């Protein structure tokens, strides 16, 4: 009987120790903060060269190279997450991605995300066929213009505060919205549309080495690119911002820019 009581007492003591050890309401990982971060998940449009796209079975691009360098310097594993551009806010709000980094325009979205400083200036331009006879914006009157859905070009075209945009849109025969620019270029080549409104960086990349296309000198609008984080996520933004500035200082930013554009496109930290 005494032996049984002794065993029971030991069991009660052991149970008490177990309860004390497991009594925390918060898992240890939840209290670790940003120091415990091991991955950096970047959301991007996989059909947006030269910023992010697939080539030979791998995702490549200017912004992806930049993100890879940021991840390496912070000891994070880079996770490239292609997203439906129309679902980008849902992806960010649900925290399935850490940021949107893909030629992401800040202008008009300043209060919707937590941003890094702008890292590249960009303009919205028009691409036409060289045999179209169109040499300026006035020549687009009565023509069909293609834009990517939810793109900066579409936003610029719908800007009711821009006299240029209002007059241009009123003069057009039709505006065709496509899911991605590969479709737009196929339509332009086939004569289904007369022009494409798009980012100058993307336009230059698309027509490089291709015959029959040109960029009009006049621009629809100018803008800036930044890395967008979930509103309020200043801690991660500050880390990425500091790393980008470090890359500018040591010349890595310019090196990556030269690879993709042939010159330094960077404006951050300058």
């Amino acid at each position: 009987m005494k032996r049984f009581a002794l065993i029971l007492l030991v069991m009660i003591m052991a149970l008490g120790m177990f309860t004390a050890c497991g009594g925390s309401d918060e898992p240890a990982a939840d209290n670790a903060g940003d120091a415990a971060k091991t991955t950096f998940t970047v959301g991007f449009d996989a059909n947006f060269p030269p910023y992010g796209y697939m080539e030979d079975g791998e995702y490549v691009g200017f912004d992806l190279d930049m993100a890879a360098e940021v991840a390496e310097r912070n000891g994070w594993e880079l996770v490239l997450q292609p997203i439906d551009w129309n679902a980008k806010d849902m992806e960010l709000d649900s925290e399935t991605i850490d940021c949107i980094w893909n030629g992401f325009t800040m202008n008009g979205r300043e209060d919707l995300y937590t941003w890094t400083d702008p890292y590249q200036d960009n303009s919205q331009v028009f691409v036409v066929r060289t045999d179209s006879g169109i040499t300026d914006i006035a020549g687009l009157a009565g023509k069909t213009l293609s834009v990517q859905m939810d793109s900066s070009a579409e936003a610029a075209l719908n800007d009711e505060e821009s006299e240029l945009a209002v007059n241009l849109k009123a003069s057009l025969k039709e505006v065709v919205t496509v899911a991605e620019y590969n479709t737009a270029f196929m339509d332009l080549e086939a004569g289904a549309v007369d022009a494409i409104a798009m980012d100058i960086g993307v336009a230059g990349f698309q027509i490089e080495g291709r015959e029959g296309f040109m960029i009009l000198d006049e621009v629809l609008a100018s803008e800036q690119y930044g890395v967008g984080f979930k509103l309020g996520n200043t801690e991660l933004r500050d880390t990425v911002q500091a790393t980008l500035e470090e890359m500018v200082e040591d010349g890595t930013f310019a090196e990556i820019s030269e690879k993709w554009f042939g010159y330094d496109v960077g404006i951050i930290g300058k």
Side-chain angles (χ1 to χ4, degrees):
M1 185 69 178
K2 290 181 179 180
R3 183 180 181 184
F4 176 80
L6 180 60
I7 293 173
L8 182 60
L9 179 60
V10 171
M11 292 176 63
I12 291 173
M13 291 175 64
L15 181 61
M17 291 175 63
F18 178 81
T19 302
C21 291
S24 173
D25 292 331
E26 294 290 337
D30 290 347
N31 295 322
D34 196 53
K37 186 172 183 60
T38 59
T39 60
F40 183 47
T41 305
V42 172
F44 69 102
D45 178 352
N47 294 291
F48 198 61
Y51 297 94
Y53 63 106
M54 179 169 279
E55 183 176 81
D56 298 329
E58 294 185 359
Y59 293 119
V60 298
F62 169 67
D63 282 344
L64 303 190
D65 278 359
M66 298 291 290
E69 183 68 20
V70 167
E72 182 177 354
R73 293 186 182 213
N74 287 283
W76 302 328
E77 176 190 353
L78 178 65
V79 179
L80 299 178
Q81 182 59 58
I83 59 175
D84 179 345
W85 197 243
N86 293 324
K88 60 185 180 297
D89 293 340
M90 180 186 68
E91 298 276 6
L92 197 59
D93 290 340
S94 64
E95 299 183 356
T96 55
I97 59 175
D98 288 315
C99 66
I100 301 170
W101 196 340
N102 192 205
F104 195 25
T105 302
M106 303 173 64
N107 308 72
R109 297 183 173 119
E110 291 88 347
D111 299 329
L112 301 179
Y113 307 89
T114 290
W115 294 95
T116 62
D117 289 348
Y119 63 86
Q120 182 180 355
D121 277 325
N122 190 54
S123 298
Q124 299 305 311
V125 298
F126 300 97
V127 177
V128 299
R129 297 187 308 277
T130 53
D131 62 358
S132 67
I134 301 171
T135 58
D136 55 22
I137 290 180
L140 295 172
K143 307 297 185 182
T144 300
L145 178 68
S146 178
V147 295
Q148 184 184 37
M149 183 183 301
D150 197 30
S151 66
S152 300
E154 183 181 41
L157 187 63
N158 292 328
D159 183 2
E160 296 182 356
E161 296 183 2
S162 168
E163 183 178 355
L164 173 63
V166 171
N167 292 338
L168 170 63
K169 192 172 181 180
S171 74
L172 294 170
K173 175 184 178 181
E174 184 182 5
V175 176
V176 175
T177 303
V178 296
E180 40 87 19
Y181 284 124
N182 288 334
T183 300
F185 269 91
M186 286 190 291
D187 289 346
L188 182 61
E189 190 169 19
V193 301
D194 300 294
I196 307 170
M198 60 195 305
D199 300 348
I200 190 170
V202 181
F205 183 85
Q206 287 280 6
I207 69 174
E208 184 179 2
R210 297 171 65 173
E211 298 287 338
F213 300 103
M214 68 178 189
I215 300 172
L216 299 184
D217 290 336
E218 294 176 89
V219 302
L220 175 59
S222 295
E223 62 184 15
Q224 295 177 318
Y225 286 161
V227 185
F229 298 83
K230 183 177 180 179
L231 196 63
N233 190 0
T234 56
E235 184 176 5
L236 184 56
R237 185 277 310 277
D238 289 348
T239 300
V240 172
Q241 170 82 28
T243 308
L244 286 172
E245 291 175 352
E246 178 185 282
M247 290 163 59
V248 170
E249 287 294 323
D250 65 25
T252 305
F253 195 114
E255 183 180 333
I256 296 174
S257 294
E258 290 279 353
K259 170 186 173 181
W260 288 100
F261 300 100
Y263 66 99
D264 183 5
V265 301
I267 61 173
I268 194 169
K270 298 180 180 179

